[in-house]
Amino acid sequence: MTASAVPALFLDRDGIVNVDHGYVHRIEDFEFVPGIFDLLRTAHAAGRRLVIVTNQSGIARGRYGEAEYQRLTAWMQARFIEAGAPLAGVWHCPHLPGAPAPYGIDCDCRKPAPGLILAARDALGLDLARSILIGDKARDIESARRAGLGHAWLVSGERAEIDAAAADDVWPSVAALAADVRAQAALALQ
């Protein structure tokens, strides 16, 4: 990694950025999770690049298309700019093994595979060893581990996810994480 590589804060989308209502793809159904803007402003002010990495199997399942996903993503990115926490990028995986072509493939981007994180690293020149991922599922944490991220944090109140994830730390909500001074200190670049 070059001396100019910067650390990132990677985030899962559904359940971390927005309330997971299941296959959210319309603006009117998108509800930001309380605390997400505070958390991202803190990370951005510390010099971290803000990156979303998200599985979007609703595309493979035919629930919505790439155009609908991209429309919602552009709207979401504009909200983060308005909030003072611009996203460096959003990477998504539309695949699902067993789904119809062209999305029914076993790819290297569907979490828990590390492909989305590695693609962001390559595109943005990120220092993964000094980066953090925040997810709400064990597969998010596994993806971070497989990519070599320095920290993987879980936001969940579900015992099964907590037990399966082996995260570095766990918070019950994004708002609790955003308010935690330990997390704020970890987000600050050393």
Side-chain angles (χ1 to χ4, degrees):
M1 197 50 51
T2 66
S4 62
V6 296
L9 176 61
F10 289 93
L11 305 125
D12 179 45
R13 194 193 81 174
D14 300 316
I16 298 297
V17 172
N18 61 281
V19 176
D20 189 354
H21 296 298
Y23 305 106
V24 175
H25 62 280
R26 299 181 319 163
I27 292 168
E28 57 268 26
D29 297 330
F30 196 95
E31 176 185 355
F32 285 100
V33 168
I36 193 63
F37 292 118
D38 292 335
L39 177 68
L40 269 59
R41 276 191 293 268
T42 298
H44 178 67
R48 289 188 182 275
R49 304 293 299 270
L50 307 176
V51 179
I52 293 176
V53 288
T54 178
N55 288 346
Q56 290 296 313
S57 69
I59 296 170
R61 296 172 195 270
R63 293 179 181 250
Y64 51 94
E66 285 278 355
E68 292 165 293
Y69 168 78
Q70 293 299 340
R71 189 171 26 260
L72 175 64
T73 298
W75 174 86
M76 177 188 68
Q77 288 178 293
R79 303 297 75 77
F80 279 110
I81 290 169
E82 291 168 0
L87 300 175
V90 179
W91 275 260
H92 77 287
C93 174
H95 306 117
L96 182 66
Y103 299 112
I105 63 170
D106 187 16
C107 63
D108 66 353
C109 58
R110 181 170 175 75
K111 294 181 287 178
L116 296 175
I117 294 171
L118 299 177
R121 176 203 61 194
D122 295 346
L124 300 173
L126 302 174
D127 181 346
L128 297 185
R130 295 192 307 144
S131 294
I132 299 168
L133 177 133
I134 301 171
D136 65 331
K137 303 284 188 234
R139 68 177 164 256
D140 299 320
I141 305 307
E142 183 180 342
S143 180
R145 298 284 187 234
R146 291 172 67 182
L149 267 68
H151 300 283
W153 296 347
L154 183 71
V155 172
S156 180
E158 296 181 26
R159 186 84 253 159
E161 288 295 336
I162 294 169
D163 292 344
D168 295 317
D169 220 328
V170 180
W171 285 268
S173 68
V174 170
L177 190 161
D180 190 320
V181 294
R182 292 176 305 123
Q184 292 171 12
L187 288 170
L189 296 178
Q190 309 304 330

